[in-house]
Amino acid sequence: MTTKTPLLKVDSIGIQFGGLKAVSDVNIELNSGELVGLIGPNGAGKTTFFNLLTGVYEPTEGVIALGGEKLNGLAPYRITRKGISRTFQNIRLFNELSVLDNVKVAYHSLAKHSMVSSILRLPSFFSGEREMEEKAIEFLEIFKLEPYLHEKAKNLPYGQQRRLEIARALASNPKLLLLDEPAAGMNPQETHDLMNLIGFIRKKFNLTVLLIEHDMPLVMGVCERIYVLDHGQLIAQGSPEEIRNNPKVIEAYLGEEVS
């Protein structure tokens, strides 16, 4: 009997800054097509963990593998090409660029034309640029952002900026999408719309999604499994119902509501 290789396998991963262990001995597995939550109190190490997965930090211990291929030591742009993309807790758009250009930037990471053809303005450059623009517009139509095509990103309403950041992350054609607190700063209606959007893009693009979020109704409503970090260590994992009733999780949140 063969065992299916998980899309993402994190084996005893950790990182130390000086004498402080920000993340220690964390083991996580994600299978293709799953939507999984990563929760924990502020300072639990969640964003640091995302930074390890995307090459911003190099782990001091353990192994990160995507589809069985080790990612340790790869630069962030190479990890993006391998199939991991992300959003950030604080929106990081190119504010002075148009909505269209923000998405085209992500497509450039997959560009087929060479630097030489770009410098010399060869036909392959122009055909490549046209192809990227067509794909970007198609993407923006899916996210209902086409009306803002030539608007500067900074001028979009907050909820639309979140949509644009997710659209840009998906434009790099990832296998695994990391969402870092996508509902931060949203009102209830925007959060509800976001829940629907996450479910839609997961099915539409056949994605695996790992979601950091403090909005517990959102996490419990969309995630199939949940991992819980506290002080850089994994303290629980399971279904939303199991996590909701786990005494360690309730204690780690110091009385915060987890249901």
Side-chain angles (χ1 to χ4, degrees):
M1 181 178 178
T2 57
T3 303
K4 186 178 179 181
T5 301
L7 176 66
L8 178 73
K9 183 175 176 62
V10 177
D11 188 8
S12 301
I13 203 71
I15 187 169
Q16 185 168 323
F17 299 105
L20 173 66
K21 285 191 173 183
V23 172
S24 178
D25 196 29
V26 172
N27 297 279
I28 284 180
E29 289 189 8
L30 301 180
N31 296 313
S32 293
E34 283 194 298
L35 202 169
V36 178
L38 179 64
I39 66 172
N42 288 327
K46 304 182 298 295
T47 296
T48 299
F49 181 72
F50 269 22
N51 287 338
L52 289 167
L53 295 183
T54 53
V56 176
Y57 300 145
E58 185 173 353
T60 52
E61 59 186 32
V63 175
I64 301 168
L66 185 71
E69 183 178 357
K70 186 177 177 181
L71 300 181
N72 295 54
L74 294 184
Y77 78 91
R78 293 187 63 191
I79 290 176
T80 298
R81 289 178 177 174
K82 295 290 183 184
I84 298 180
S85 189
R86 72 176 292 183
T87 65
F88 294 86
Q89 180 179 351
N90 299 312
I91 297 175
R92 297 187 186 180
L93 296 172
F94 298 104
N95 286 324
E96 296 297 328
L97 293 183
S98 70
V99 168
L100 176 61
D101 285 341
N102 265 271
V103 178
K104 285 176 66 178
V105 164
Y107 276 121
H108 271 283
S109 69
L110 305 175
K112 297 175 184 177
H113 54 268
S114 67
M115 184 179 294
V116 172
S117 69
S118 300
I119 294 172
L120 299 179
R121 293 295 194 265
L122 299 178
S124 60
F125 165 76
F126 290 105
S127 63
E129 286 293 310
R130 282 195 301 272
E131 182 181 354
M132 282 189 286
E133 182 156 322
E134 289 169 1
K135 287 181 178 179
I137 292 173
E138 182 180 348
F139 230 92
L140 291 168
E141 288 174 348
I142 291 171
F143 281 82
K144 299 180 180 178
L145 290 170
E146 190 187 12
Y148 305 99
L149 207 63
H150 301 295
E151 188 73 53
K152 286 186 178 181
K154 69 179 183 181
N155 295 333
L156 292 185
Y158 184 83
Q160 301 289 18
Q161 288 188 22
R162 284 288 183 191
R163 281 178 171 262
L164 177 56
E165 190 180 34
I166 295 172
R168 185 181 64 183
L170 289 176
S172 63
N173 194 30
K175 301 170 186 174
L176 172 61
L177 177 63
L178 310 177
L179 299 176
D180 193 347
E181 295 196 37
M186 287 189 171
N187 62 43
Q189 182 58 51
E190 287 172 334
T191 300
H192 175 75
D193 292 343
L194 178 68
M195 287 180 65
N196 293 333
L197 177 62
I198 291 171
F200 169 77
I201 62 176
R202 175 199 177 192
K203 293 179 181 177
K204 172 74 176 178
F205 300 102
N206 193 27
L207 282 172
T208 304
V209 179
L210 182 60
L211 168 71
I212 292 177
E213 188 51 66
H214 282 293
D215 188 315
M216 288 301 101
L218 172 60
V219 172
M220 298 293 174
V222 302
C223 295
E224 299 154 337
R225 295 191 296 117
I226 298 171
Y227 288 95
V228 187
L229 281 178
D230 186 34
H231 293 95
Q233 294 185 315
L234 197 64
I235 62 168
Q237 59 177 294
S239 67
E241 186 65 25
E242 290 169 332
I243 295 302
R244 183 183 289 114
N245 297 302
N246 187 300
K248 286 185 178 180
V249 176
I250 296 171
E251 182 181 357
Y253 271 86
L254 301 177
E256 291 183 33
E257 185 181 358
V258 293
S259 60

